[in-house]
Amino acid sequence: MSAKNILIILGGGRPNGNTAQLAEAFEQGAREAGHTVETISLLKNEVRSCLGCNACRYAKPCVQRDAFNDIVPRIRAADCIVLASPLYFWTISSRLKAFIERFYCLAEEDPCPPLGRYEKYPVKDCALLMTSADNFFWTFEQTVSYYQFTLVNYIGFRDRGMVLAGGCGSTNGRPAIEKTGHLERARDFGKNIYAK
C-alpha cells in the first residue's frame, strides 16, 4: 500500500467537541499507517454557499472571496477527502453543505455524462465521519443518503467507508464520545482505510 494524501474537512460543531475528537482519532490512525493528513476546520475557514452565478462556467474564478479558494489546491492534491460533521436536523451541517456546493466550480464539461450527471469532477476517494446525540436505527439515514447520492453517485467519488457515531451524549452537556467505542473505531478506520 502506498501512502496517500488525505484531506479532512471538519464541518462545524464545537472546536473540541465529539466531531473534532472523532476526526482527530481518524487522523491519528491514518498517520500511523503512513498517510499524510491535513485537517481544515470550517469554523476557522469560512466557506459560503454557492451563488449559482455560473461565473466559473466561463473560465472565471469564483466571485466569492472566502476560504474555499485557498482550499481548492488542497482538494486537487488530495487522494481522499474525509467529511466530518455533527448531525444537525438529521443531516450534515450547513457549513459542510456549503463546502460541497462549491465543488461546482471544480466541474468540467462532460460531453457524454452518465445518467443524472451534467459534468465531471476530479476523481477522489471519500469517507464520512458523523456524530450524534441520538442513536436510533434511522438516525443517520438521511445523511448517508445525501452522501451516497451527492458525493458518490453524482460527483463520482469512490466511497472508502464511514464511521457513524451515535449516542455521543446530550447536546447540552460536555462531549461524551470518549465513553463510547467510536474513537477507537475511527482510529482503526483511519489506519485501515487503504489496507484492502
Side-chain angles (χ1 to χ4, degrees):
M1 171 201 71
S2 61
K4 302 291 184 181
N5 186 6
I6 298 175
L7 178 64
I8 301 172
I9 303 297
L10 189 56
R14 299 165 183 154
N16 298 305
N18 292 318
T19 306
Q21 292 181 51
L22 192 72
E24 184 179 351
F26 173 89
E27 180 175 346
Q28 289 171 358
R31 287 187 187 282
E32 286 173 23
H35 304 300
T36 300
V37 186
E38 179 182 12
T39 298
I40 296 176
S41 168
L42 298 182
L43 280 174
K44 298 176 183 176
N45 299 274
E46 184 188 19
V47 173
R48 295 187 290 273
S49 59
C50 179
L51 298 174
C53 69
N54 271 350
C56 60
R57 294 307 163 99
Y58 298 94
K60 296 178 182 176
C62 183
V63 299
Q64 301 201 67
R65 300 293 178 254
D66 61 13
F68 189 78
N69 299 304
D70 296 326
I71 299 172
V72 167
R74 286 129 144 172
I75 293 170
R76 294 195 187 280
D79 297 302
C80 182
I81 298 174
V82 178
L83 305 175
S85 176
L87 187 79
Y88 286 166
F89 285 81
W90 311 113
T91 191
I92 61 173
S93 70
S94 58
R95 285 184 177 92
L96 194 54
K97 174 71 164 54
F99 173 81
I100 294 168
E101 286 178 10
R102 295 287 290 284
F103 271 65
Y104 189 63
C105 73
L106 301 176
E108 298 176 359
E109 184 179 353
D110 190 343
C112 300
L115 183 66
R117 269 181 88 180
Y118 308 100
E119 60 262 324
K120 61 183 175 181
Y121 292 85
V123 177
K124 306 289 177 187
D125 295 329
C126 64
L128 179 66
L129 305 175
M130 291 289 302
T131 60
S132 173
D134 293 317
N135 197 24
F136 303 113
F137 72 90
W138 44 265
T139 293
F140 295 104
E141 191 169 309
Q142 184 157 319
T143 302
V144 171
S145 176
Y146 177 80
Y147 170 80
Q148 291 176 334
F149 275 95
T150 305
L151 275 295
V152 180
N153 295 346
Y154 185 73
I155 292 178
F157 286 178
R158 298 172 298 224
D159 177 36
R160 299 299 300 186
M162 56 189 77
V163 174
L164 305 175
C168 292
S170 167
T171 56
N172 287 325
R174 296 173 57 81
I177 195 169
E178 75 279 355
K179 297 175 184 175
T180 72
H182 298 313
L183 296 179
E184 192 58 40
R185 285 179 52 222
R187 194 173 292 108
D188 288 344
F189 180 40
K191 196 170 187 176
N192 296 298
I193 189 168
Y194 283 103
K196 301 173 189 174

